[in-house]
Amino acid sequence: GSSQSASAMAWPRSAARRARAASRGSLLLLLALIIGFCAPLGRLSRACLSSRGLGNAAELSSGADAGAAFVVGPGALSGAAEGVAQSLGQGLGSQGLADLAQLQPGGLGESSLLAAAAAVPAVPAELPFAGTVQLLFGAFAAAASGAQILRSGAERDAPETGLGVRTIGIFAVWATLVAYAAANTGGFGDPAQDKVLLDKLLSTPFDGSVSPLFVSIFNFMGLWPAIYAALLLPGARNQSPVPAWPFLALSFFLGAFALSPYLALRQIRGYGEADARSSLDFVTANVLESRLNGVFVFGSGAFLALFAAGNGDPAAAGLASLSAAWVGLEPLLRESITAHVTCIDFCILWAFAGPVLLEDGQRRGLFLEWTTSERLLFALCWAVPVLGPAVWLTLRPPLDE
């Protein structure tokens, strides 16, 4: 009898030790991924910042080369003045510099060069990469989500307290996103053009004047909060330490910027912690829990996906049209801070959906034994952005009454 009692007491301690070991392993993996991500992102961000003001010297025209050669030699300018000379060469060309040189027989002095530079209209700088940083942010967020999913089994045996894998991972992605957006806002592109872009997206998004692929991504950003609301609110009653609704409401306007802190701080309400449907508020019980909600999200997402894949013509959807749509999106990613950050936001919300979907499934008795059918369902619902979670909202089992 005493040996059985000792064995029964030893099992939970052993499970807790395994849970703590899994937590430490997941945290170390996450920290390694954070360090590995931040190094290349820092180099990319520095490259972006260095392109401001004078532009990228590597992309000077032949006229710019002539301008640079003109000022090299006896009495060469300092490094700062030489940069201005290169900027002048890009704006004026060799003939313009030759005309300026005739104004001063002794050559083009530093003061004349700086004065002439002030009169040249500034050319908005561009990001030296398109699509790369969006993929990096998506991979970073997916790594944080993967660490959460690996930790989910141990979470049931020994719930995390304090700063765990989930909190650290999500806050690391969020802080990097905020810092990156703040560092680059106003640094490239034309704010007036961004305002025109937003006006078109809100008034006539489907008239072909804006990249169809970006139109779809921009409108997907209105579907992601609806998906997260349907996944989170059934387990959001009496949430601690923060309520769900302020973050979900703001996410319709700010996306991952607003939603990430809630995802990091909230309590997990998975297996064995589901509220009865009768205890939910009216909107959650009758709208978000309805299969019609999933059908609506899926139908809206399917139209947007076909619009993007057809490069503005849903009937022409195909690989060739999708390739043309990407070509049309690339300039926006380089020149518009609105498009650039919106696409990053989309990738982060896509990556963060996995653990939330897993929790909602476990709340309903799925994704516990990980049968083959459950693995396929989970992989499909997470791997396909917007449409995958919409399928889950349509097919998921209802909560108990």
Side-chain angles (χ1 to χ4, degrees):
S2 60
S3 62
Q4 290 178 346
S5 176
S7 176
M9 294 174 63
W11 184 85
R13 290 198 297 269
S14 176
R17 283 196 298 270
R18 289 196 301 271
R20 287 193 295 270
S23 178
R24 287 194 295 269
S26 299
L27 182 58
L28 289 174
L29 174 62
L30 179 60
L31 290 176
L33 289 168
I34 291 172
I35 294 171
F37 171 80
C38 289
L41 182 63
R43 288 194 294 270
L44 289 173
S45 193
R46 285 194 297 272
C48 168
L49 293 173
S50 67
S51 69
R52 297 175 181 175
L54 297 180
N56 192 343
E59 297 178 356
L60 295 177
S61 62
S62 58
D65 295 335
F70 180 81
V71 298
V72 174
L77 303 177
S78 64
E82 183 179 350
V84 176
Q86 292 174 346
S87 180
L88 266 178
Q90 187 174 11
L92 299 179
S94 58
Q95 184 59 45
L97 282 172
D99 293 340
L100 281 175
Q102 292 176 3
L103 297 176
Q104 186 173 344
L108 197 60
E110 290 187 32
S111 59
S112 301
L113 188 60
L114 291 171
V120 178
V123 178
E126 295 181 354
L127 281 174
F129 44 89
T132 305
V133 75
Q134 284 77 15
L135 293 177
L136 280 173
F137 265 103
F140 189 17
S145 294
Q148 293 179 60
I149 291 172
L150 291 175
R151 177 70 179 78
S152 63
E155 180 79 21
R156 295 197 300 271
D157 297 325
E160 288 183 338
T161 57
L163 295 178
V165 171
R166 172 171 57 92
T167 303
I168 292 175
I170 294 176
F171 266 128
V173 176
W174 179 75
T176 308
L177 171 65
V178 171
Y180 181 84
N184 291 289
T185 298
F188 66 96
D190 184 354
Q193 291 183 357
D194 264 2
K195 185 178 182 304
V196 172
L197 175 64
L198 284 172
D199 289 342
K200 290 181 178 179
L201 288 169
L202 296 174
S203 59
T204 55
F206 302 107
D207 66 352
S209 60
V210 180
S211 160
L213 183 52
F214 181 64
V215 168
S216 295
I217 292 173
F218 184 82
N219 284 278
F220 279 146
M221 296 302 294
L223 294 178
W224 273 125
I227 291 170
Y228 273 97
L231 294 174
L232 290 170
L233 287 179
R237 191 167 67 94
N238 299 324
Q239 264 287 356
S240 176
V242 290
W245 67 265
F247 298 91
L248 284 168
L250 286 174
S251 70
F252 279 93
F253 306 97
L254 299 175
F257 287 90
L259 188 61
S260 298
Y262 175 72
L263 295 178
L265 296 173
R266 69 193 180 91
Q267 293 177 337
I268 299 296
R269 302 279 179 83
Y271 176 69
E273 299 184 68
D275 290 326
R277 182 167 179 170
S278 58
S279 67
L280 301 178
D281 62 87
F282 178 83
V283 173
T284 303
N286 296 281
V287 178
L288 299 180
E289 281 288 311
S290 171
R291 296 187 188 277
L292 291 178
N293 179 53
V295 172
F296 171 77
V297 174
F298 183 85
S300 302
F303 169 77
L304 293 172
L306 289 173
F307 183 79
N311 197 25
D313 181 6
L319 292 178
S321 298
L322 185 58
S323 177
W326 168 252
V327 171
L329 175 65
E330 250 190 317
L332 276 179
L333 295 182
R334 291 182 180 274
E335 300 167 3
S336 167
I337 187 66
T338 298
H340 191 85
V341 174
T342 298
C343 291
I344 294 174
D345 203 345
F346 173 85
C347 292
I348 291 176
L349 290 176
W350 177 11
F352 280 171
V356 179
L357 192 150
L358 174 65
E359 177 190 347
D360 188 59
Q362 291 179 340
R363 190 184 297 133
R364 300 163 195 273
L366 294 179
F367 308 139
L368 297 171
E369 301 298 329
W370 287 112
T371 62
T372 301
S373 59
E374 287 183 346
R375 291 177 182 177
L376 290 175
L377 178 61
F378 179 76
L380 169 67
C381 293
W382 188 18
V384 182
V386 178
L387 297 181
V391 169
W392 168 253
L393 296 180
T394 305
L395 300 179
R396 65 181 179 177
L399 293 173
D400 293 335
E401 291 293 338

